[in-house]
Every structure is written in C-alpha cells, then in structure tokens.
C-alpha cells in the first residue's frame, strides 16, 4: 500500500512480462480527443493512454518520449491555470 495523506483510486497494471504493479491514480485527463491517466507508485510516475474496447477500459503504455513530454507539459499548464483547492 502506498503511503499518502489522501485516499486515491488504486489500479493494478500488468506489464508485457506479467509483472504486476499497483499504482495510485494521480490524474485522469483528455487531450486531442484521447483520454490519459497519470499513475504513481514508489518507483515514480507513469503516463498511460486509456482505451476502450467492447465497453471495457484498458491502460496502454505510451511509446513516444515526445508524446509523453507534450502531455506532461499540457498537464502542467492546466494545473497552473486551475490549481486544486486545499
């Protein structure tokens, strides 16, 4: 279990080699008509695309470092423009 002052949704992600990791959902957001999830665990933060197929949702890793960078930049701009309430 992750140590945090707030309670967040937890998801378990299985990588291509079958290794499972549990993440806290840091944020869900949309950009250019696609949905993304920012996930966090003890090892760091991961950005994944949320895809739907047959009514189910799946998390898919991002391959492009440029896409990751662009998404993180856009997310930071949005956070700066509308910071969360304390």
């Amino acid at each position: 279990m992750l140590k945090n002052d707030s309670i967040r949704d937890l998801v378990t992600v299985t990588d291509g080699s079958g290794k499972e990791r549990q993440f806290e959902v840091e944020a869900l957001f949309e950009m250019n008509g696609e949905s993304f999830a920012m996930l966090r665990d003890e090892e760091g933060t991961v950005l994944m695309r949320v895809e739907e197929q047959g009514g189910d949702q799946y998390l898919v890793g991002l391959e492009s470092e440029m896409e990751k960078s662009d998404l993180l930049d856009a997310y930071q701009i949005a956070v700066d423009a509308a910071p969360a309430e304390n």
Side-chain angles (χ1 to χ4, degrees):
M1 176 72 78
L2 299 173
K3 293 181 182 178
N4 194 336
D5 293 334
S6 64
I7 297 173
R8 297 186 183 266
D9 290 331
L10 298 175
V11 295
T12 301
V13 176
T14 305
D15 67 16
S17 62
K19 180 182 174 190
E20 290 186 350
R21 287 173 61 187
Q22 189 172 46
F23 292 91
E24 286 185 340
V25 178
E26 186 72 20
L28 296 170
F29 60 97
E30 289 191 23
M31 185 170 146
N32 298 330
E34 294 186 287
S35 297
F36 297 93
M38 185 177 294
L39 310 173
R40 183 172 51 100
D41 71 359
E42 300 89 15
E43 296 179 31
T45 301
V46 176
L47 191 58
M48 301 184 88
R49 180 178 290 110
V50 180
E51 295 185 357
E52 291 192 34
Q53 184 177 18
D56 294 324
Q57 290 185 327
Y58 298 92
L59 294 169
V60 179
L62 302 177
E63 300 294 324
S64 166
E65 290 300 320
M66 179 178 261
E67 181 179 27
K68 290 178 194 176
S69 178
D70 290 348
L71 286 167
L72 290 173
D73 288 346
Y75 178 76
Q76 188 60 50
I77 290 168
V79 168
D80 291 344
E85 294 180 25
N86 293 329

